């Protein structure tokens, strides 16, 4: 067991009951997977807030964005004994071959002066819009480049899930840049600077195998030159799927990327990749063992147990403060040392 | 039954036995799904040639591109009684959760003076290169824009399948532009001119639902602004999956796109989409019934029966000469009238 993370003693930092629901008729089931950033001396988190209506024994009910409804949302109901319904995974179900989510997620800001005690905004910051986000928006990564915050997030709808980009300079006005990576794709994070004159991002195509890819862009909105950077490793802790975390961190040794990997039991751990500074398509090193595993009770039991998943961090010198979703249900924090991670990479 | 296609009486135009194998030890099993274009007064086809080694009763053997082997290729063998092997679809099989193809495809030119009698080049034109094409290259679309032929094709490997771009001005020297749409994606065709200052293409994300999408690009190599253009229609002839054919055709009524659709029995037919000339993200009309169905004997029986699939055509006035793969095994031709297709679109 090799766990390098110093968890906050105050974990969890944010629980569902800390988040006011976005409207009457729904409750917050999970708050998880925050993007993280610094702005005007504060630490900001862009939380994923997953909501659903009160459930009954006979039905699964799930909310979807519906621009035709005056409330902007409508509720789908499925009888649990309907033979066309297939369910079991707490996160989603299938009806007549169409995938649905059990919850509808929006993104919401939380702010902290000390990086540990957060105040959650009373209302959603970004909610699903248009036909590519009818099943919500999820798992934001935030990368600041030249004073502009680039928010990459998962757009989910019956058309599949892809990567959307929203930019902001002030966390009050937002510019939607559309879907930058088409289905099936998620887990996209921009590098914090241009490399060789182009924007660079990690992303995770889905639909068969689940590996970490890299692509380049002249403007952040149009992407090409895709290549597979790292693949799931048969027999290892990250045998089943991998995906990047937040923006890679510049170190003297190379770009340090903390990524998540799952085995065939859906146990999600964190590991590290080290990429060449000038040519990040070149992998210099990769964790043989996880640098963080679900070992705390709140990481082992919850909405989806045995999960630590990070897509947001802030860096101070040698210290990475990683914010992470535990058991897909709560937001926690942990500190990691860059030096210690690099030491495990040989 | 509404079939608007006048098939060539000389169909099939090209059969596997017309195509010399690329090397000793493999045979050509299928020749199919050609891209089509005009160049220096000739009609050119960029064929997909699918090869495999001689099969035995006990083993499935399939070739893969292997840069470590002096021949550039190696042969994978799987015992048919191995419980880790799952097969049945003639196109592919699964071993320990990894997808493999039963054949290895390359792209090869064929030329004709009359558009009907073709001479197949004795050697491959484009073969798989690098780790994203170890399982071959497939199904080219060819779009000429300002004298440059843009070849979009499927790159296949154990990392998944995505869309590659190769450009040429003379069909002798080729420039590889990399993977422009990451997995899982195929069936990509460029529009034959820029619209609103940008390149536009249709493509088909895969991995869950299979719909036709549209995207834009400043340079042809980097893509964004993705949107779902048309979805499979439950209960219709194109209920299970759809994907675009060759480049849209400019007509006074709009961009005419011939696309393929399959039902749950994997019966592949052709239909039409009509898109707004100035804003091709706007669908003006769509075929209620197919415009071409697998009704000829050679379209109903073969490597994969009940398939007509086109990704190449040339246009003369009102006449579209569509080249198509029949039963995934042979190359055929048929003429369609633009006027007649538009009439069915109301």
């Amino acid at each position: 067991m090799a766990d390098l993370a110093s968890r906050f003693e105050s974990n969890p930092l944010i629980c569902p009951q800390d988040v006011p629901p976005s409207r009457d008729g729904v409750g917050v089931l999970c708050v998880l997977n925050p993007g993280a950033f610094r702005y005007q001396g504060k630490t900001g988190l862009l939380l994923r807030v997953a909501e659903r209506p009160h459930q009954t024994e006979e039905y699964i009910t799930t909310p979807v964005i519906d621009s035709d409804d005056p409330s902007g949302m409508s509720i789908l109901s499925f009888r649990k004994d309907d033979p066309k319904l297939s369910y079991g995974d707490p996160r989603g179900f299938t009806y007549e071959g169409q995938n649905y989510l059990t919850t509808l997620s929006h993104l919401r800001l939380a702010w902290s002066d000390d990086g540990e005690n957060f105040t959650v905004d009373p209302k959603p910051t970004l909610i699903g819009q248009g036909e590519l986000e009818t099943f919500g928006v999820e798992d934001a990564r935030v990368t600041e480049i030249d004073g502009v915050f680039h928010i990459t997030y998962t757009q989910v709808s019956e058309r599949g899930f892809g990567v959307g980009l929203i930019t902001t300079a002030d966390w009050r006005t937002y510019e939607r840049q559309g879907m930058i990576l088409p289905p099936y794709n998620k887990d996209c994070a921009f590098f914090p600077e241009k490399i060789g004159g182009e924007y660079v991002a990690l992303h995770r195509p889905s639909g068969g195998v689940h590996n970490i890819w890299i692509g380049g862009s002249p403007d952040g909105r149009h992407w090409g030159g895709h290549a597979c950077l790292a693949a799931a490793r048969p027999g290892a802790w990250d045998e089943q799927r991998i995906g990047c975390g937040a923006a890679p961190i510049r170190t003297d040794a190379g770009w340090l990327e903390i990524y998540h990997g799952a085995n065939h039991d859906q146990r999600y751990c964190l590991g590290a990749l080290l990429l060449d500074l000038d040519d990040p398509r070149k992998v210099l090193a990769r964790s043989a063992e996880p640098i963080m595993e679900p070992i705390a009770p709140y990481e082992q039991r919850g909405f989806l147990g045995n999960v630590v998943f990070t897509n947001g961090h802030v860096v101070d010198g040698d210290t990475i403060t990683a914010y992470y979703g535990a058991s897909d249900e709560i937001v926690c924090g942990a500190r990691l040392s860059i030096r210690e991670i690099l030491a495990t990479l040989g």
Side-chain angles (χ1 to χ4, degrees), chain A residues 131-145:
Chain A
E131 73 156 13
L132 298 183
E133 299 178 356
T134 52
F135 294 177
V137 292
E138 302 180 352
D139 296 357
R141 274 82 173 165
V142 178
T143 305
E144 186 180 354
I145 308 173

Side-chain angles (χ1 to χ4, degrees), chain A residues 184-310:
Chain A
Y184 287 78
N185 207 312
K186 55 166 59 175
D187 297 333
C188 174
F190 283 25
F191 282 65
E193 59 190 77
K194 290 190 191 179
I195 302 170
E198 68 170 9
Y199 292 87
V200 183
L202 305 176
H203 60 92
R204 211 285 297 282
S206 311
V209 291
H210 297 81
N211 299 320
I212 296 175
W213 286 59
I214 189 167
S217 170
D219 55 13
R221 293 182 295 119
H222 301 90
W223 291 84
H226 301 286
C228 184
L229 187 72
R233 294 178 291 196
W237 60 275
D238 52 3
E239 65 189 343
Q240 202 272 326
R241 56 177 62 208
I242 58 174
C244 80
I249 299 162
R250 181 185 261 284
T251 76
D252 290 342
W255 292 106
L256 178 63
E257 172 62 19
I258 298 176
Y259 73 96
H260 66 267
N263 66 9
H264 290 310
D265 295 325
Q266 285 202 83
R267 183 173 188 264
Y268 279 75
C269 299
L270 303 183
L273 281 167
L274 191 65
L275 312 177
D276 186 85
L277 281 179
D278 298 320
D279 178 9
R281 290 158 185 269
K282 204 166 138 192
V283 177
L284 303 178
R286 178 172 173 184
S287 295
E289 299 298 328
I291 59 171
M292 183 170 177
E293 302 188 65
I295 50 175
Y298 50 82
E299 297 163 352
Q300 294 180 329
R301 286 185 295 278
F303 183 69
L304 186 74
N306 284 316
V307 171
V308 290
F309 185 103
T310 187

Side-chain angles (χ1 to χ4, degrees), chain A residues 68-111:
Chain A
D68 293 334
D69 192 280
S71 75
M73 196 179 90
S74 60
I75 307 289
L76 303 181
S77 268
F78 302 88
R79 276 194 73 91
K80 286 185 181 172
D81 59 5
D82 187 332
K84 295 173 193 158
L85 181 73
S86 167
Y87 66 103
D89 189 309
R91 297 167 297 181
F93 60 93
T94 304
Y95 188 80
E96 284 200 305
Q98 171 68 50
N99 293 318
Y100 294 91
L101 303 178
T102 52
T103 58
L104 178 67
S105 290
H106 65 261
L107 302 176
R108 194 183 305 206
L109 284 166
W111 296 101

Side-chain angles (χ1 to χ4, degrees), chain A residues 306-334:
Chain A
N306 284 316
V307 171
V308 290
F309 185 103
T310 187
N311 47 293
H313 58 233
V314 295
V315 179
D316 278 301
D318 182 62
T319 301
I320 302 169
T321 303
Y323 297 96
Y324 66 100
S327 298
D328 262 15
E329 185 172 331
I330 50 177
V331 171
C332 296

